[in-house]
Amino acid sequence: MNKTVLVTGGAGYIGSHACVELSEAGYDVIVVDNLSNSQMEAVRRVEQIIGKPLVFYQADVRDKPALSDIFQQHKIDAVIHFAGLKAVGESCQQPVAYYHNNNVSTLVLVETMAQFKVSHLVFSSSATVYGDPQSVPITEDFPLQATNPYGRTKLFIEDILRDLSQADVLNNAELPWKIALLRYFNPVGAHSSGLIGESPNGIPNNLMPYLSQVAIGKLEKLSVFGDDYATRDGTGVRDYIHVVDLAQGHVKALDYLLAKATDEGLCEAFNLGTGQGNSVLEMIETFQSVTGQMVNYQIVDRRPGDIAECYANTDLAEKKLGWKAQKNLHDMITDTWRWQTKNPNGYEEKL
Ligand code: NAD
Ligand code: UFG
């Protein structure tokens, strides 16, 4: 019989791609999302790709009665927790909203899971928990630090989940937690169908959606934030990872947790990146050569809070989860561009 996985935030950018990969891997998927940063159209498009309906609940994960109802109605085997707010700048302006949404939702979720004896959890963490790393590539045992409220929510949640796992040891728990903390590097790209992708509200903060909106003529010019970093061309270097590879990493993490013996508890962190760093100028050049579109850009001052270089060592995920990113920068850009040209206004366009 298929295992059933509850996906919080499943209507969002990464969650929607994960629903496709989970379904294709034979999991039954239930989505809970409050649609605060997504649209129902994303769920419809996922259904179109997988060729069957998704069980969807519009609810806030902080709403305990609503969440309990879902656990009551379905026999859930595991949870992937994507739901959360994710904009670094906004988190500095509205820290309480971020702590409330991200941290309270996680607390309500794990309380409800414990109540219904569900112990397998995959959590969306971020490379932001490494702060400004002393060197690259980054391994999972690097010191953790947060440099903004968003990052602190991720760090707190990781700590909470590690504490839960430790408590199992002290309590000699019969059904210990099996938790994977997946630290994403920079997710980009879209599903190869062009049906689902990233649909940011307003002006994008992140490089790839900004770049593609300049290329399509929705935005005038890309600002390159600084060319005086100690990197090969002076611009910031990041580990861009295709969102479908990332989604498949969740399937592998789930398989890994579900294969553990019932009494075997764990809380382990894994980097999900490609292990390759690319600079902003390299991204622009590759974007231009793959799409044939010129990208108007100018060099401006550094963006406060940005770091020079960030890329992953992904050996642990390869060794333990049997996962390695398959797609290259060319794929990431081709798929981003297909999504952008087919959906110039994101999910506003109904197919
Ligand atoms: P997203 O905003 O597209 O998706 C998040 C989804 O969660 C949205 O559909 C939103 O409506 C929903 N949501 C938010 N709060 C909720 C709540 N309280 N109850 C129910 N639903 C709620 O973001 P994404 O890019 O898909 O990111 C998913 C997760 O991955 C987030 O936790 C994010 O912090 C993390 N992450 C993202 C990135 C990135 O660059 N995209 C990088 C590292 C980590
Ligand atoms: N950049 C520009 N111009 C832009 C946008 C970005 O030059 O308009 C540069 C940045 O300075 C950086 C690189 O492009 O060097 C990538 O920036 P993004 O904003 O796309 O991504 P970040 O690495 O800053 O942050 C992202 C997520 C965070 C997450 C982090 C690590 O937004 O939430 O990756 O996972 F914490």
Side-chain angles (χ1 to χ4, degrees), residues 21-317:
E21 298 307 314
L22 287 164
S23 174
E24 287 178 355
Y27 286 98
D28 288 337
V29 179
I30 297 171
V31 172
V32 55
D33 197 303
N34 64 3
L35 301 180
S36 59
N37 195 38
S38 52
Q39 276 127 321
M40 201 50 208
E41 181 62 10
V43 176
R44 287 189 206 105
R45 304 268 186 104
V46 169
E47 292 177 330
Q48 201 175 329
I49 297 170
I50 64 176
K52 57 181 179 193
L54 268 186
V55 182
F56 176 82
Y57 292 91
Q58 183 172 351
D60 195 299
V61 179
R62 289 167 292 179
D63 180 345
K64 186 126 191 242
L67 198 64
S68 299
D69 240 30
I70 300 171
F71 278 83
Q72 196 92 58
Q73 287 187 43
H74 304 271
K75 200 210 149 293
I76 291 167
D77 296 292
V79 178
I80 305 186
H81 184 34
F82 291 104
L85 301 176
K86 63 165 182 177
V88 172
E90 189 182 63
S91 80
C92 299
Q93 291 162 337
Q94 303 171 32
V96 176
Y98 271 68
Y99 290 121
H100 201 277
N101 197 355
N102 295 4
N103 296 47
V104 175
S105 68
T106 308
L107 291 173
V108 170
L109 177 67
V110 293
E111 277 172 5
T112 313
M113 288 175 69
Q115 191 185 329
F116 287 88
K117 302 206 179 326
V118 180
S119 58
H120 299 83
L121 174 64
V122 176
F123 172 64
S124 295
S125 188
S126 165
T128 194
V129 298
Y130 297 116
D132 193 354
Q134 282 182 348
S135 61
V136 277
I138 300 168
T139 50
E140 287 82 355
D141 56 0
F142 268 37
L144 302 180
Q145 93 192 89
T147 53
N148 56 66
Y150 165 70
R152 249 181 303 279
T153 69
K154 293 293 177 193
L155 210 47
F156 279 150
I157 295 167
E158 283 206 1
D159 280 335
I160 291 166
L161 298 177
R162 273 187 289 269
D163 286 345
L164 264 183
S165 191
Q166 282 304 311
D168 280 342
V169 179
L170 296 174
N171 301 332
N172 205 6
E174 275 175 35
L175 193 66
W177 287 96
K178 295 163 186 36
I179 301 172
L181 311 169
L182 302 185
R183 296 177 181 155
Y184 315 155
F185 281 68
N186 288 57
V188 298
H191 191 262
S192 60
S193 62
L195 284 168
I196 56 171
E198 189 170 13
S199 182
N201 281 332
I203 297 175
N205 296 309
N206 296 117
L207 178 65
M208 196 57 136
Y210 205 107
L211 192 55
S212 55
Q213 291 196 13
V214 172
I216 206 163
K218 282 184 77 179
L219 294 169
E220 199 200 324
K221 198 184 274 185
L222 172 75
S223 294
V224 175
F225 297 137
D227 67 349
D228 56 352
Y229 287 105
T231 59
R232 50 185 174 264
D233 61 20
T235 64
V237 167
R238 296 291 183 275
D239 184 338
Y240 298 94
I241 172 166
H242 198 294
V243 66
V244 171
D245 275 332
L246 189 64
Q248 286 168 357
H250 291 72
V251 176
K252 292 289 190 185
L254 210 54
D255 293 346
Y256 173 74
L257 297 181
L258 287 164
K260 295 277 168 197
T262 315
D263 59 354
E264 199 179 340
L266 61 102
C267 180
E268 286 177 357
F270 298 98
N271 287 341
L272 296 188
T274 62
Q276 304 289 319
N278 282 104
S279 74
V280 179
L281 291 180
E282 286 166 355
M283 294 300 283
I284 297 172
E285 277 157 27
T286 316
F287 196 96
Q288 293 184 147
S289 80
V290 170
T291 65
Q293 299 290 317
M294 289 313 288
V295 177
N296 199 8
Y297 72 88
Q298 62 180 350
I299 309 287
V300 301
D301 287 347
R302 291 179 179 196
R303 180 170 65 177
D306 272 358
I307 57 176
E309 230 176 348
C310 175
Y311 58 91
N313 175 311
T314 60
D315 291 352
L316 193 66

